[in-house]
Amino acid sequence: MSDEEVKSLEEQEMQDKVISPEKTEEAKLKARYPNLGARPVGPDFLRKRLQKGQKYFDSGDYNMAKAKIKNKQLPSTPTEKTEITGEHIPTPQDLPQRKTSIVASKLAV
Amino acid sequence: MAGPGGGSSDVQWCFSQVKGAMDDDVAEADIISTVEFNHSGELLATGDKGGRVVIFQQEPESKNQPQCRGEYNVYSTFQSHEPEFDYLKSLEIEEKINKIRWLPQKNAAQFLLSTNDKTIKLWKISERDKRPEGYNLKEEDGRYRDPNTVTTLRVPVFRPMDLMVEASPRRVFANAHTYHINSISVNSDHETYLSADDLRVNLWHLEITDRSFNIVDIKPANMEELTEVITAAEFHPHQCNTFVYSSSKGTIRLCDMRASALCDVHAKLFEEPEDPNNRSFFSEIISSISDVKFSHSGRYMMTRDYLSVKIWDLHMETQPVETYQVHEYLRSKLCSLYENDCIFDKFECCWNGNDSVVMTGSYNNFFRMFDRGYRHDVTFEASRENSKPRSVLKPRKVSTGGKRKKDEISVDSLDFSKKILHTAWHPLDNIIAVATTNNLYIFQDKVN
């Protein structure tokens, strides 16, 4: 950008500042991102908004990611002592309770 | 002159309680996503990003301390929603609770609706303070007795026990929303409710989970023509046929369900004309309405957009009757607010019990109150520094000019990560609940 162009842009900015701070901010944004389209809220923008949420490759990918988080958060649980091996046919009462680990909210302390 | 919900010039707001961890380490699950008083104000519910609901109950006023209104203590807590996976789209469905709405109380139990992005659940919260004892065929610990050992018979009796509060899911309203649910609203008929996502509004009956009626559909035939989305929706507090929904373009549409089954055509369209000379890149974004709330009277509605709160008279569609600037000084910061995404923050707003004062949140853990009668506004801060019991809140001020007065804070010093998006006002008294990122502050007016 030549000196004259910079000067005229500054003058325009000063004028805009008098008119509206919004337009000044817009000029700032356009200067930083010259490829920015004229309308920020077009169909593409809205469609991205409609599809918010993390996309995974498939359910296996999702469950792996969840398992990783769970491993980080929870201390290792002690392994249950099972006497259920070999010929013994397990009944529902014999199986260890599979408890979903719920971390209580800190507001409820 | 103190009256319930009196003007803010009479009221002296004091710190009452703060809930949640006071350390700086905030887990994402602890981020509070919704706050709501029930219809009597006795119960206060919060939802968080981890899908949990915590309900607080106000202690009855003690005769020893008549000047203190009862404190809110934990009444019940439960996991409302769990994270799910949409197999068809390979998308995660967040467990974050977007909204909680209480049903009016009909019997001893309390009911509330809680929703995440896709599923609404009706929860029943009931108390148990008695249990039967003295069974003939069961021991006290629950083990069964051999009938042969029973020699005498007795009649089981109910004995008092420690209060137990149980929350159970009574209805699950699922699979009705392709897009993300942003609002739920219980109808004044106490039988139906609406749920709104980005493009559609559905009507449900509280008893029926396998069916819902679509009453608004703004999805264009060609998604390339999509220009606006639904941002909030609410039923009228008294007229069971009337509801409103707001859009990302700053418009509010009032619909009458008596007119037709599908309310795509509005009965009224509320839109403030824009000065085309002032239009900028940011105009549409900051005009997007993040919350809409009817007044208790049903005569007015309030909308919140990025920089202001507007009060509309339902009889006048052309412009709001009152406009309050929440943080006008941010207009000259829009560039950086766009870059850090803060410009997309969705602030909520609320009315006090007699519709004389409205409240909304801002940044730096500031929240603002606007007194409609006295034309007086005030800014307070929810912070640990102001957390001494019954200490009076000091009004805060943001300095906009060059000279910064003592006690004022400059715009550049504001912490934009500390945002108050959710606030609630007790339906009858001057008690407010203000949610910072992971803490719930309760403030009350000073009762002399």
Side-chain angles (χ1 to χ4, degrees):
Chain A
M1 237 190 185
S2 75
D3 281 350
E4 277 126 15
E5 282 172 327
V6 170
K7 205 169 173 203
S8 70
L9 183 65
E10 276 175 28
E11 277 173 5
Q12 184 61 36
E13 272 183 33
M14 291 256 296
Q15 220 179 352
D16 282 344
K17 213 164 193 163
V18 174
I19 298 171
S20 105
E22 253 181 74
K23 289 241 170 76
T24 320
E25 290 297 298
E26 180 175 0
K28 228 190 267 176
L29 193 69
K30 292 237 162 95
R32 285 187 206 174
Y33 306 98
N35 296 326
L36 210 56
R39 286 195 68 213
V41 199
D44 292 330
F45 170 81
L46 288 173
R47 260 187 305 187
K48 245 197 342 189
R49 174 188 170 148
L50 293 180
Q51 235 211 6
K52 91 166 187 226
Q54 191 163 4
K55 199 162 171 89
Y56 291 87
F57 181 72
D58 62 12
S59 63
D61 187 25
Y62 170 71
N63 285 313
M64 289 284 286
K66 264 190 75 179
K68 268 205 204 101
I69 297 170
K70 269 220 174 95
N71 283 338
K72 269 193 237 146
Q73 273 185 356
L74 298 174
S76 56
T77 51
T79 49
E80 300 276 342
K81 196 168 83 149
T82 51
E83 294 161 8
I84 306 162
T85 53
E87 291 121 31
H88 179 89
I89 297 169
T91 57
Q93 283 95 300
D94 291 338
L95 292 174
Q97 280 288 342
R98 194 165 71 104
K99 225 165 113 172
T100 48
S101 30
I102 294 169
V103 183
S105 165
K106 294 203 180 90
L107 293 181
V109 165
Chain B
M1 178 185 69
S8 64
S9 30
D10 307 291
V11 177
Q12 277 195 302
W13 288 99
C14 306
F15 170 84
S16 174
Q17 297 168 272
V18 62
K19 306 281 185 190
M22 296 309 274
D23 52 49
D24 284 318
D25 189 22
V26 181
E28 242 193 81
D30 293 327
I31 296 173
I32 299 173
S33 50
T34 185
V35 182
E36 187 83 356
F37 279 101
N38 77 334
H39 295 271
S40 65
E42 187 206 353
L43 299 177
L44 175 61
T46 60
D48 65 21
K49 211 161 181 222
R52 301 164 299 194
V53 170
V54 181
I55 301 175
F56 302 93
Q57 182 188 43
Q58 189 180 30
E59 297 302 314
E61 279 177 37
S62 71
K63 293 191 179 67
N64 302 332
Q65 287 190 306
Q67 55 267 56
C68 271
R69 286 211 191 80
E71 278 200 341
Y72 283 84
N73 296 321
V74 180
Y75 178 66
S76 169
T77 177
F78 54 92
Q79 185 81 31
S80 172
H81 288 70
E82 302 254 358
E84 286 176 72
F85 190 68
D86 181 339
Y87 292 90
L88 197 61
K89 298 179 184 163
S90 290
L91 282 175
E92 180 177 25
I93 300 171
E94 264 195 307
E95 67 274 35
K96 172 167 77 91
I97 308 295
N98 291 334
K99 286 277 153 53
I100 289 173
R101 289 287 182 264
W102 290 92
L103 266 58
Q105 192 173 12
K106 279 198 274 201
N107 52 36
Q110 300 278 356
F111 288 87
L112 62 78
L113 287 171
S114 74
T115 186
N116 70 347
D117 282 339
K118 297 286 181 180
T119 305
I120 306 129
K121 294 188 185 179
L122 176 70
W123 287 88
K124 175 181 179 180
I125 297 105
S126 47
E127 292 184 359
R128 194 198 290 264
D129 61 358
K130 292 185 271 290
R131 71 153 171 254
E133 283 178 19
Y135 284 104
N136 292 293
L137 293 176
K138 259 203 297 193
E139 304 283 0
E140 293 304 327
D141 60 10
R143 280 180 301 138
Y144 283 98
R145 282 167 81 182
D146 181 356
N148 298 321
T149 63
V150 177
T151 51
T152 59
L153 288 179
R154 57 188 173 171
V155 178
V157 291
F158 276 95
R159 290 252 140 78
M161 61 180 248
D162 288 338
L163 179 67
M164 205 165 71
V165 183
E166 301 167 322
S168 58
R170 305 305 283 177
R171 307 269 186 276
V172 178
F173 304 92
N175 302 322
H177 286 279
T178 309
Y179 304 100
H180 298 104
I181 298 173
N182 52 54
S183 313
I184 46 174
S185 179
V186 183
N187 203 350
S188 53
D189 65 8
H190 301 173
E191 286 189 346
T192 57
Y193 75 95
L194 64 74
S195 58
D197 67 30
D198 292 314
L199 296 179
R200 299 190 177 106
V201 181
N202 292 334
L203 180 72
W204 301 84
H205 191 285
L206 285 163
E207 300 287 326
I208 299 167
T209 57
D210 63 355
R211 198 169 344 169
S212 95
F213 290 99
N214 175 244
I215 53 178
V216 174
D217 188 341
I218 66 166
K219 184 177 179 189
N222 181 1
M223 284 299 266
E224 295 287 326
E225 290 161 9
L226 181 64
T227 53
E228 64 183 327
V229 294
I230 296 171
T231 52
E234 191 176 65
F235 264 120
H236 190 276
H238 314 307
Q239 295 166 18
C240 57
N241 53 286
T242 306
F243 68 93
V244 293
Y245 68 92
S246 58
S247 84
S248 54
K249 273 188 158 172
T251 64
I252 310 100
R253 286 174 177 81
L254 184 142
C255 301
D256 187 334
M257 296 196 292
R258 297 170 301 188
S260 70
L262 192 59
C263 297
D264 277 359
V265 179
H266 54 262
K268 286 186 197 255
L269 173 65
F270 297 84
E271 189 172 13
E272 185 165 22
E274 189 191 40
D275 179 1
N277 292 327
N278 276 338
R279 195 167 172 80
S280 79
F281 178 85
F282 305 107
S283 296
E284 195 173 314
I285 305 177
I286 62 171
S287 72
S288 175
I289 291 170
S290 49
D291 195 16
V292 64
K293 291 263 170 53
F294 278 104
S295 64
H296 292 95
S297 64
R299 166 90 193 261
Y300 301 95
M301 67 177 174
M302 164 168 54
T303 57
R304 174 71 155 97
D305 51 73
Y306 191 60
L307 297 178
S308 65
V309 161
K310 294 179 180 168
I311 313 279
W312 303 78
D313 184 327
L314 292 187
H315 298 119
M316 188 164 83
E317 301 163 66
T318 50
Q319 58 179 19
V321 288
E322 293 152 40
T323 301
Y324 301 104
Q325 301 301 335
V326 181
H327 36 219
E328 179 67 15
Y329 46 79
L330 294 184
R331 203 179 285 270
S332 48
K333 298 281 167 206
L334 291 177
C335 178
S336 39
L337 293 168
Y338 179 86
E339 288 178 300
N340 63 18
D341 274 352
C342 281
I343 205 174
F344 301 109
D345 284 336
K346 295 183 176 49
F347 292 94
E348 292 174 8
C349 52
C350 60
W351 299 84
N352 74 338
N354 65 6
D355 299 335
S356 59
V357 185
V358 296
M359 171 168 67
T360 189
S362 179
Y363 294 104
N364 208 73
N365 281 348
F366 286 173
F367 58 99
R368 306 260 285 133
M369 288 184 189
F370 302 94
D371 188 317
R372 301 174 62 210
Y374 291 105
R375 293 282 156 168
H376 172 71
D377 64 89
V378 69
T379 307
F380 291 124
E381 182 180 356
S383 73
R384 299 167 205 171
E385 286 79 48
N386 303 334
S387 303
K388 273 202 288 285
R390 290 191 287 285
S391 63
V392 177
L393 284 183
K394 215 172 56 147
R396 306 286 274 129
K397 208 152 158 61
V398 177
S399 72
T400 48
K403 263 194 128 129
R404 187 174 72 88
K405 294 203 198 99
K406 190 173 89 113
D407 283 350
E408 284 187 359
I409 180 166
S410 76
V411 182
D412 296 307
S413 310
L414 295 174
D415 188 342
F416 289 97
S417 68
K418 293 191 175 157
K419 43 194 103 174
I420 290 178
L421 303 173
H422 313 286
T423 58
W425 205 308
H426 190 287
L428 304 164
D429 298 332
N430 275 338
I431 303 173
I432 55 175
V434 173
T436 59
T437 306
N438 65 320
N439 292 115
L440 184 71
Y441 285 80
I442 299 172
F443 301 103
Q444 297 184 6
D445 72 346
K446 197 177 181 128
V447 185
N448 290 315

